[in-house]
Amino acid sequence: MDVGTILQFTLDVLNLGSLYALMALGLVVIYGILKLVNFAYGELVMVAGYTLYLLNGSPLPWLIMALVAVCMAVIGGITTDLVAFRPVRANSLTAMLITSFAFSTLLQNAALLFISPRARNVPLPEIFTQSVTMLGVIIPVRNLITIASAFILLGAFTLVMKRTVLGMALRAAASNFTMARMVGIPANFIITVAFAISGLFAGVVAMLWLGRIGAVVPGIGLEPLLVAFIACVIGGMRSLVGAVVGGYLLALIDVSFNYALPPDLLSFRDAFTFTMVIVILLLRPSGLIKGPDTGKRT
Amino acid sequence: MSNRRLRINEVSVEFSGLRALDKVSLTIETGEILGLIGPNGSGKTTLVNAITGQVRPSTGAVCIGDEEITALSPRRIALKGITRSFQQVRLFNDLSVVENVAATSLAKGLSLRAARQTARELLVDFNLSDFGDMAAGALNHGDKRRVEIVRALAGDPSFLLLDEPAAGMNETESDALLATLAELPASRALGILVIDHDMSLIMRLCHRLHVISSGKTIGEGSVETVRSLPAVVEAYLGTSETSP
């Protein structure tokens, strides 16, 4: 294998892994506190996508449009909390699970009804279609943007979690929710913040994801949700680091099969990937990074 | 602040028909340590839970000074200046010891720097400064208990409720804890309620005792007074004296 192939492989893994990691992190931020998978999470990607589509043709520069779209995903996240979770939070976990499914279906159908079941193109900046050549390898600039955005976002998130009052409150709430309330941390506020952060990750992923596929459909959220879920499961549901590790590992598996499988088997790549996931889970049933506490609600 | 007292007035708690507490009244003054004793299942922890808002009393009132706090949420009550420790230690296991302690003062509105500073100072008082940066979950049992007490103190409470603070500690540890606790009411102008089964600790630490049995008050007063009450001896001390 020459240097060029190694570079290409590494960048492919980092590019895909960055998307997976951000997506997984958005899911785990909420799971950590509520011990619940937010199934309406994929729809936040959709909300950001359609916002970008609706802004198409406006005189705004793309970066502002993207910012508005990300903000809409954040608002979508907060709305998920207020509409689907807070009213039933005192009830059973099952109730929240069902409302999260219902909210997801509601959003998807709203997109079907008010926009269109067909794919809609979103505006993308020039730079997303450009590429650079390094060591004889052609690299799309958007891949480099994806990797850079992920590193910046992960770095900023780590800083917030470690160095700010908010981060500490979030970690305390994830560690022992009841106790966090008892020492005086405002529970509702912290949960809403977690949903906002989750929306932020979904929004950024949406921009980068759309940069790859160029169009938005009502069902666009399913794949990111599935990927995020699998990344969390193999990385460890209870740990933020686990989500990131899981994201990059899943990408490594995916890309490796992309490179290694003969062309006529390539269409079965997902089957190979999921087999690997099963193997990992057989060896490490609670994920690679074990969370410190049990998965029960506190 | 000195005339503020924590007043529990005829508090009853029922769990699906079962009366766990029956019109218990007691008062904790600032600057004193009140021992709450009674046999297992007599309702001691339930009383603490009723004060801190974890369970809602079916009748009765809990007041700080003239202000009734009975119907408030645990969070509000904590912010009003009543903090507690638990029979089963409840720390944030994956946060560091300093962060555990700082969480309480952060919730009260201190800055991160100030909260960390306060936490480190308090940990020094409890000889826990070496463990400041360790994950709380990695501590041994006795140290966890002390961290929990420090965390409760970090909120600068007016009243501190300790549910079996010395449980699981060895003699040396519990003697050290006793010495530290004994100084708190005067040094920090606070009232303490202590539940413990270690009678020797209770007798040495507390200024006054309140005894409950089957959810009812069966005696109260100074350590000597309570010791000699026939009902108390029968319900509680009597059995403990005959046991090996």
Short mmCIF file of all heavy atoms in Angstrom, two decimals, chain A residues 119-150:
data_model
loop_
_atom_site.label_atom_id
_atom_site.label_comp_id
_atom_site.label_asym_id
_atom_site.label_seq_id
_atom_site.Cartn_x
_atom_site.Cartn_y
_atom_site.Cartn_z
N ALA A 119 -37.37 14.55 -3.04
CA ALA A 119 -36.15 15.20 -2.58
C ALA A 119 -36.12 16.66 -3.03
O ALA A 119 -36.56 16.98 -4.13
CB ALA A 119 -34.94 14.46 -3.15
N ARG A 120 -35.65 17.50 -2.14
CA ARG A 120 -35.52 18.93 -2.46
C ARG A 120 -34.06 19.32 -2.35
O ARG A 120 -33.40 19.01 -1.35
CB ARG A 120 -36.33 19.76 -1.45
CG ARG A 120 -37.83 19.65 -1.65
CD ARG A 120 -38.26 20.45 -2.87
NE ARG A 120 -39.70 20.50 -3.01
CZ ARG A 120 -40.37 19.94 -4.02
NH1 ARG A 120 -39.72 19.25 -4.94
NH2 ARG A 120 -41.68 20.07 -4.10
N ASN A 121 -33.56 20.00 -3.39
CA ASN A 121 -32.16 20.41 -3.35
C ASN A 121 -31.95 21.54 -2.35
O ASN A 121 -32.79 22.41 -2.21
CB ASN A 121 -31.71 20.87 -4.73
CG ASN A 121 -31.57 19.67 -5.66
OD1 ASN A 121 -31.29 18.56 -5.23
ND2 ASN A 121 -31.80 19.92 -6.94
N VAL A 122 -30.84 21.49 -1.69
CA VAL A 122 -30.51 22.57 -0.77
C VAL A 122 -29.34 23.36 -1.36
O VAL A 122 -28.54 22.81 -2.11
CB VAL A 122 -30.12 22.05 0.63
CG1 VAL A 122 -31.29 21.37 1.29
CG2 VAL A 122 -28.93 21.11 0.55
N PRO A 123 -29.29 24.67 -1.03
CA PRO A 123 -28.16 25.45 -1.52
C PRO A 123 -26.87 25.01 -0.82
O PRO A 123 -26.89 24.71 0.38
CB PRO A 123 -28.53 26.88 -1.12
CG PRO A 123 -29.47 26.74 0.03
CD PRO A 123 -30.22 25.46 -0.21
N LEU A 124 -25.82 24.93 -1.58
CA LEU A 124 -24.53 24.58 -0.99
C LEU A 124 -23.48 25.54 -1.52
O LEU A 124 -23.55 25.97 -2.68
CB LEU A 124 -24.15 23.14 -1.35
CG LEU A 124 -24.95 22.04 -0.68
CD1 LEU A 124 -24.62 20.68 -1.27
CD2 LEU A 124 -24.71 22.02 0.82
N PRO A 125 -22.52 25.88 -0.71
CA PRO A 125 -21.49 26.81 -1.18
C PRO A 125 -20.55 26.13 -2.17
O PRO A 125 -20.42 24.90 -2.16
CB PRO A 125 -20.77 27.21 0.10
CG PRO A 125 -20.95 26.04 1.00
CD PRO A 125 -22.28 25.44 0.66
N GLU A 126 -19.92 26.95 -2.99
CA GLU A 126 -18.94 26.47 -3.98
C GLU A 126 -17.93 25.50 -3.37
O GLU A 126 -17.63 24.45 -3.93
CB GLU A 126 -18.16 27.68 -4.53
CG GLU A 126 -18.93 28.51 -5.53
CD GLU A 126 -18.87 27.87 -6.92
OE1 GLU A 126 -17.77 27.77 -7.45
OE2 GLU A 126 -19.94 27.46 -7.45
N ILE A 127 -17.45 25.90 -2.20
CA ILE A 127 -16.32 25.21 -1.61
C ILE A 127 -16.62 23.72 -1.37
O ILE A 127 -15.74 22.89 -1.35
CB ILE A 127 -15.91 25.93 -0.30
CG1 ILE A 127 -14.49 25.52 0.10
CG2 ILE A 127 -16.89 25.69 0.83
CD1 ILE A 127 -13.89 26.39 1.17
N PHE A 128 -17.93 23.39 -1.21
CA PHE A 128 -18.31 22.00 -0.96
C PHE A 128 -18.08 21.11 -2.17
O PHE A 128 -18.06 19.89 -2.05
CB PHE A 128 -19.79 21.92 -0.52
CG PHE A 128 -19.96 22.01 0.96
CD1 PHE A 128 -19.46 23.10 1.66
CD2 PHE A 128 -20.61 21.01 1.68
CE1 PHE A 128 -19.61 23.19 3.04
CE2 PHE A 128 -20.76 21.10 3.05
CZ PHE A 128 -20.26 22.19 3.73
N THR A 129 -17.95 21.73 -3.36
CA THR A 129 -17.75 20.91 -4.55
C THR A 129 -16.29 20.92 -5.01
O THR A 129 -15.92 20.21 -5.93
CB THR A 129 -18.63 21.41 -5.71
OG1 THR A 129 -18.40 22.80 -5.88
CG2 THR A 129 -20.09 21.17 -5.43
N GLN A 130 -15.48 21.75 -4.36
CA GLN A 130 -14.08 21.83 -4.75
C GLN A 130 -13.28 20.70 -4.10
O GLN A 130 -13.73 20.06 -3.16
CB GLN A 130 -13.49 23.19 -4.33
CG GLN A 130 -14.06 24.34 -5.14
CD GLN A 130 -13.79 25.68 -4.50
OE1 GLN A 130 -13.25 25.77 -3.41
NE2 GLN A 130 -14.18 26.73 -5.19
N SER A 131 -12.08 20.51 -4.68
CA SER A 131 -11.22 19.50 -4.08
C SER A 131 -9.76 19.93 -4.18
O SER A 131 -9.41 20.80 -4.98
CB SER A 131 -11.43 18.15 -4.74
OG SER A 131 -11.22 18.28 -6.12
N VAL A 132 -8.96 19.35 -3.35
CA VAL A 132 -7.52 19.63 -3.39
C VAL A 132 -6.77 18.33 -3.65
O VAL A 132 -7.30 17.25 -3.40
CB VAL A 132 -7.02 20.26 -2.07
CG1 VAL A 132 -7.56 21.66 -1.90
CG2 VAL A 132 -7.37 19.38 -0.88
N THR A 133 -5.56 18.44 -4.15
CA THR A 133 -4.76 17.25 -4.41
C THR A 133 -3.59 17.20 -3.43
O THR A 133 -2.85 18.18 -3.29
CB THR A 133 -4.23 17.25 -5.85
OG1 THR A 133 -5.32 17.54 -6.72
CG2 THR A 133 -3.64 15.89 -6.21
N MET A 134 -3.50 16.09 -2.70
CA MET A 134 -2.40 15.91 -1.77
C MET A 134 -1.78 14.55 -2.03
O MET A 134 -2.51 13.55 -2.08
CB MET A 134 -2.93 15.96 -0.33
CG MET A 134 -2.56 17.24 0.43
SD MET A 134 -2.88 17.02 2.19
CE MET A 134 -4.60 17.42 2.30
N LEU A 135 -0.48 14.49 -2.23
CA LEU A 135 0.23 13.22 -2.48
C LEU A 135 -0.44 12.42 -3.60
O LEU A 135 -0.57 11.20 -3.51
CB LEU A 135 0.27 12.37 -1.21
CG LEU A 135 1.05 12.97 -0.02
CD1 LEU A 135 0.74 12.19 1.25
CD2 LEU A 135 2.53 12.99 -0.30
N GLY A 136 -0.90 13.13 -4.59
CA GLY A 136 -1.53 12.46 -5.71
C GLY A 136 -2.95 11.98 -5.44
O GLY A 136 -3.54 11.29 -6.26
N VAL A 137 -3.48 12.35 -4.27
CA VAL A 137 -4.84 11.92 -3.94
C VAL A 137 -5.76 13.13 -4.03
O VAL A 137 -5.44 14.20 -3.53
CB VAL A 137 -4.89 11.36 -2.51
CG1 VAL A 137 -6.30 10.93 -2.16
CG2 VAL A 137 -3.92 10.22 -2.34
N ILE A 138 -6.91 12.93 -4.70
CA ILE A 138 -7.87 14.03 -4.78
C ILE A 138 -8.76 13.99 -3.54
O ILE A 138 -9.42 12.98 -3.26
CB ILE A 138 -8.73 13.91 -6.05
CG1 ILE A 138 -7.81 13.93 -7.27
CG2 ILE A 138 -9.75 15.04 -6.12
CD1 ILE A 138 -8.49 13.45 -8.55
N ILE A 139 -8.78 15.09 -2.77
CA ILE A 139 -9.56 15.13 -1.54
C ILE A 139 -10.60 16.23 -1.63
O ILE A 139 -10.25 17.39 -1.83
CB ILE A 139 -8.65 15.39 -0.32
CG1 ILE A 139 -7.57 14.30 -0.24
CG2 ILE A 139 -9.45 15.44 0.97
CD1 ILE A 139 -6.34 14.76 0.48
N PRO A 140 -11.88 15.90 -1.51
CA PRO A 140 -12.90 16.94 -1.51
C PRO A 140 -12.70 17.86 -0.30
O PRO A 140 -12.46 17.38 0.81
CB PRO A 140 -14.22 16.16 -1.36
CG PRO A 140 -13.87 14.74 -1.65
CD PRO A 140 -12.43 14.56 -1.32
N VAL A 141 -12.81 19.15 -0.55
CA VAL A 141 -12.62 20.11 0.55
C VAL A 141 -13.66 19.88 1.66
O VAL A 141 -13.37 20.06 2.84
CB VAL A 141 -12.70 21.56 0.01
CG1 VAL A 141 -12.58 22.56 1.14
CG2 VAL A 141 -11.60 21.79 -1.00
N ARG A 142 -14.88 19.45 1.27
CA ARG A 142 -15.92 19.29 2.29
C ARG A 142 -15.53 18.25 3.32
O ARG A 142 -15.91 18.32 4.48
CB ARG A 142 -17.27 18.98 1.65
CG ARG A 142 -17.33 17.72 0.86
CD ARG A 142 -18.74 17.15 0.74
NE ARG A 142 -18.64 15.79 0.27
CZ ARG A 142 -18.62 15.45 -1.02
NH1 ARG A 142 -18.74 16.37 -1.95
NH2 ARG A 142 -18.49 14.19 -1.37
N ASN A 143 -14.72 17.25 2.88
CA ASN A 143 -14.26 16.27 3.86
C ASN A 143 -13.36 16.92 4.90
O ASN A 143 -13.46 16.63 6.09
CB ASN A 143 -13.49 15.13 3.17
CG ASN A 143 -14.40 14.24 2.35
OD1 ASN A 143 -15.59 14.55 2.19
ND2 ASN A 143 -13.86 13.15 1.84
N LEU A 144 -12.49 17.79 4.41
CA LEU A 144 -11.59 18.49 5.35
C LEU A 144 -12.40 19.40 6.27
O LEU A 144 -12.13 19.50 7.47
CB LEU A 144 -10.54 19.30 4.58
CG LEU A 144 -9.64 18.46 3.66
CD1 LEU A 144 -8.70 19.36 2.86
CD2 LEU A 144 -8.84 17.44 4.46
N ILE A 145 -13.43 20.04 5.70
CA ILE A 145 -14.30 20.90 6.52
C ILE A 145 -15.00 20.06 7.59
O ILE A 145 -15.08 20.45 8.75
CB ILE A 145 -15.35 21.62 5.63
CG1 ILE A 145 -14.65 22.61 4.70
CG2 ILE A 145 -16.37 22.35 6.50
CD1 ILE A 145 -15.56 23.27 3.70
N THR A 146 -15.48 18.90 7.18
CA THR A 146 -16.17 18.01 8.12
C THR A 146 -15.26 17.65 9.29
O THR A 146 -15.64 17.77 10.47
CB THR A 146 -16.62 16.72 7.42
OG1 THR A 146 -17.46 17.06 6.33
CG2 THR A 146 -17.37 15.81 8.36
N ILE A 147 -14.03 17.21 8.95
CA ILE A 147 -13.10 16.80 9.99
C ILE A 147 -12.78 17.97 10.91
O ILE A 147 -12.82 17.85 12.15
CB ILE A 147 -11.80 16.23 9.36
CG1 ILE A 147 -12.14 14.96 8.55
CG2 ILE A 147 -10.77 15.92 10.43
CD1 ILE A 147 -11.00 14.46 7.68
N ALA A 148 -12.51 19.14 10.29
CA ALA A 148 -12.16 20.31 11.10
C ALA A 148 -13.33 20.71 12.00
O ALA A 148 -13.14 20.97 13.20
CB ALA A 148 -11.76 21.47 10.20
N SER A 149 -14.56 20.75 11.44
CA SER A 149 -15.70 21.18 12.26
C SER A 149 -15.89 20.22 13.43
O SER A 149 -16.20 20.64 14.55
CB SER A 149 -17.01 21.23 11.48
OG SER A 149 -16.80 21.42 10.14
N ALA A 150 -15.73 18.93 13.16
CA ALA A 150 -15.93 17.95 14.22
C ALA A 150 -14.89 18.16 15.32
O ALA A 150 -15.24 18.18 16.51
CB ALA A 150 -15.83 16.53 13.68
#
